[in-house]
Coordinates of all heavy atoms in Angstrom, one line a residue:
R496 N 46.0 -2.3 112.6 CA 45.5 -0.9 112.9 C 46.2 -0.4 114.2 O 46.5 0.8 114.2 CB 44.0 -1.0 113.1 CG 43.3 0.3 113.2 CD 43.1 0.9 111.8 NE 42.6 2.2 111.9 CZ 43.2 3.4 112.1 NH1 44.5 3.3 112.3 NH2 42.6 4.5 112.0
G552 N 36.9 -3.1 119.8 CA 36.5 -1.7 119.9 C 36.6 -0.9 118.6 O 36.7 0.3 118.6
L553 N 36.5 -1.5 117.5 CA 36.5 -0.8 116.2 C 35.1 -0.8 115.5 O 34.4 -1.7 115.6 CB 37.5 -1.5 115.3 CG 39.0 -1.4 115.6 CD1 39.9 -2.3 114.9 CD2 39.5 0.1 115.4
T554 N 34.9 0.3 114.9 CA 33.6 0.5 114.2 C 33.9 0.4 112.6 O 34.8 0.9 112.1 CB 33.1 2.0 114.5 OG1 32.8 2.0 115.9 CG2 31.9 2.3 113.7
V555 N 32.9 -0.3 112.0 CA 33.1 -0.4 110.5 C 32.2 0.6 109.8 O 31.3 1.2 110.4 CB 32.8 -1.8 110.0 CG1 33.7 -2.8 110.6 CG2 31.3 -2.2 110.3
A579 N 39.1 9.1 103.6 CA 40.1 9.7 104.5 C 39.4 10.1 105.9 O 40.0 9.9 107.0 CB 40.8 10.9 103.9
Q580 N 38.2 10.6 105.7 CA 37.5 11.1 107.0 C 37.1 9.8 107.8 O 37.3 9.9 109.1 CB 36.3 11.8 106.6 CG 35.5 12.4 107.8 CD 36.4 13.3 108.6 OE1 36.9 14.4 108.1 NE2 36.7 12.9 109.9
L581 N 36.7 8.8 107.2 CA 36.4 7.6 107.9 C 37.5 7.0 108.7 O 37.4 6.6 109.8 CB 35.8 6.5 106.9 CG 34.4 6.8 106.4 CD1 34.0 5.8 105.3 CD2 33.4 6.7 107.6
V582 N 38.7 7.0 108.0 CA 39.9 6.6 108.6 C 40.3 7.5 109.8 O 40.7 7.0 110.9 CB 41.1 6.4 107.6 CG1 42.4 6.2 108.3 CG2 40.8 5.3 106.6
A583 N 40.1 8.8 109.5 CA 40.4 9.8 110.6 C 39.5 9.6 111.8 O 39.9 9.7 113.0 CB 40.3 11.2 110.1
Y584 N 38.3 9.1 111.6 CA 37.4 8.8 112.7 C 37.8 7.5 113.4 O 37.1 7.1 114.4 CB 35.9 8.7 112.2 CG 35.2 10.0 112.1 CD1 34.3 10.2 111.0 CD2 35.3 11.0 113.0 CE1 33.6 11.4 110.9 CE2 34.6 12.2 112.9 CZ 33.8 12.4 111.8 OH 33.1 13.6 111.7
G585 N 38.8 6.8 112.9 CA 39.2 5.6 113.5 C 38.4 4.4 113.0 O 38.5 3.3 113.7
T586 N 37.6 4.5 112.0 CA 36.8 3.4 111.6 C 37.6 2.5 110.6 O 38.6 2.9 110.0 CB 35.5 3.8 110.9 OG1 35.8 4.3 109.6 CG2 34.7 4.9 111.7
I587 N 37.0 1.3 110.3 CA 37.5 0.5 109.2 C 36.5 0.5 108.1 O 35.4 -0.1 108.2 CB 37.7 -1.0 109.7 CG1 38.5 -1.1 111.0 CG2 38.2 -1.9 108.6 CD1 40.0 -1.4 110.8
P588 N 36.8 1.2 107.0 CA 35.9 1.2 105.9 C 35.8 -0.2 105.3 O 36.9 -0.9 105.1 CB 36.5 2.2 104.9 CG 37.5 3.0 105.7 CD 38.0 2.1 106.8

Side-chain angles (χ1 to χ4, degrees):
R496 188 76 185 84
L553 288 166
T554 296
V555 298
Q580 186 57 63
L581 286 169
V582 169
Y584 276 143
T586 72
I587 307 265

